[in-house]
Amino acid sequence: MEVIILSSPESASSKAAEIFRGSIKKKPSIVLGLATGSTPLLLYKKLVQMHVSDGLSFSKVTTFNLDEYVGISADHEASYSSFMKENFFKHLDINLDNTYIPKGSVNDVPQFCLDYEKLIAGAGGIDVQLLGLGSDGHIGFNEPTSSLVSRTRIKTLTPQTREDNARFFNNRIQDVPCHVITMGVGTIMEAKHIVLLAFGAGKAKAVRDTIEGPVTSFVPASILQMHRKVTVIIDEEAAGSLLKKDYYRWVYENRPSWQKEIG
Ligand code: GLP
């Protein structure tokens, strides 16, 4: 696991954007795993800028989103489908037929989840998976005690997560759905490269538990310690509780030049 601590969400998002640009350039038909929430917004802005100003093309890119609320339609303003269109897809040259987001309005959720897994496998698996981090250590919507080998399925949100996400529902917690469809922890772990972003003091404990705590389903993100290629990019505030903060900085600042080029 590489831990990169940068001064602000701005610089951390620039770093993440460089990684995504490098990966897309290397493989234009890349399969990306995408996330929602406040954390990736700046990264999406930067990738849009790269598309508009530098011609970074998404025309051959396929994307799979991590999760979606159950019980709201794709065109609901708080759906992750609307989020992705508004904040990312509509600004790109991406083929919308190649953008997959779980459907929260399907009748047969278990069948939909099986099909979603098949679609990911059929696309050749996810090359680079973007992750945010829930304040309770969740990834996607895999809440604490989620099986660490779980696949795409329905989950019930914790009261904490519903409260955290109420801001997307005009601060009406009663409007935040209880259920979601999410890629499983096992699904996420099959991505070839995982980039996790976390910003702000509110994420400091979850970041410490993820990087330095024991691997436990109580902190689903801690399983990332068992993945071969994870890049964690955080700002100073999110790094606030890390015990080995100075070591991670030192490692990053002293990367061999060939590693710097890879990004
Ligand atoms: C939601 C999403 C996660 C996201 C998390 C953090 O629960 N399902 O994928 O990482 O929130 O959100 P934020 O970035 O808004 O803090």
Side-chain angles (χ1 to χ4, degrees):
M1 181 182 280
E2 183 178 30
V3 180
I4 303 177
I5 303 168
L6 294 168
S7 57
S8 62
E10 171 75 31
S11 48
S13 301
S14 293
K15 177 69 199 169
E18 272 173 38
I19 293 175
F20 277 86
R21 169 165 51 190
S23 304
I24 295 166
K25 289 227 156 169
K26 202 184 280 178
K27 183 180 176 187
S29 61
I30 196 167
V31 179
L32 298 177
L34 297 179
T36 51
S38 310
T39 308
L41 280 173
L42 257 176
L43 163 63
Y44 290 153
K45 265 196 185 149
K46 287 176 187 292
L47 288 172
V48 168
Q49 268 165 21
M50 288 172 175
H51 167 65
V52 174
S53 319
D54 305 338
L56 179 67
S57 177
F58 288 76
S59 62
K60 294 185 179 146
V61 173
T62 298
T63 65
F64 287 92
N65 262 76
L66 284 165
D67 45 20
E68 179 60 284
Y69 294 104
V70 167
I72 61 175
S73 63
D75 57 8
H76 187 288
E77 60 173 4
S79 77
Y80 284 165
S81 183
S82 300
F83 176 100
M84 291 308 299
K85 275 186 199 130
E86 207 42 48
N87 294 297
F88 201 35
F89 297 151
K90 81 172 190 191
H91 309 285
L92 303 174
D93 60 345
I94 198 161
N95 179 352
L96 286 179
D97 291 342
N98 296 334
T99 63
Y100 298 94
I101 302 177
K103 282 199 179 66
S105 54
V106 290
N107 290 326
D108 191 344
V109 171
Q111 186 58 50
F112 178 86
C113 293
L114 283 173
D115 292 344
Y116 202 67
E117 289 279 340
K118 279 187 197 149
L119 281 169
I120 296 173
I126 291 170
D127 292 302
V128 186
Q129 174 68 57
L130 174 64
L131 293 179
L133 184 64
S135 61
D136 59 3
H138 74 230
I139 46 177
F141 266 136
N142 294 283
E143 296 284 34
T145 72
S146 286
S147 158
L148 296 181
V149 293
S150 50
R151 312 302 307 188
T152 302
R153 71 212 181 293
I154 192 165
K155 284 294 291 180
T156 306
L157 295 180
T158 61
Q160 175 69 58
T161 299
R162 291 184 69 226
E163 201 178 307
D164 286 351
N165 289 359
R167 67 190 191 282
F168 297 110
F169 291 81
N170 300 317
N171 291 316
R172 287 169 55 86
I173 190 165
Q174 63 273 34
D175 290 350
V176 183
C178 292
H179 296 110
V180 290
I181 294 173
T182 181
M183 276 187 207
V185 180
T187 319
I188 293 169
M189 285 293 282
E190 282 174 10
K192 293 165 193 105
H193 181 192
I194 295 177
V195 177
L196 181 138
L197 302 181
F199 307 141
K203 298 289 171 74
K205 183 177 183 310
V207 164
R208 189 191 55 202
D209 290 346
T210 297
I211 299 172
E212 297 178 338
V215 173
T216 167
S217 66
F218 207 65
V219 181
S222 65
I223 191 65
L224 298 176
Q225 293 173 32
M226 305 289 286
H227 191 280
R228 287 179 185 203
K229 191 172 180 190
V230 177
T231 310
V232 176
I233 310 177
I234 51 183
D235 68 348
E236 286 292 347
E237 288 188 353
S241 300
L242 287 172
L243 298 175
K244 297 268 183 201
K245 198 175 6 179
D246 294 340
Y247 173 65
Y248 308 136
R249 273 207 193 90
W250 193 87
V251 170
Y252 184 60
E253 281 158 14
N254 292 285
R255 284 187 304 164
S257 55
W258 58 267
Q259 215 177 11
K260 281 182 189 157
E261 282 157 27
I262 293 169

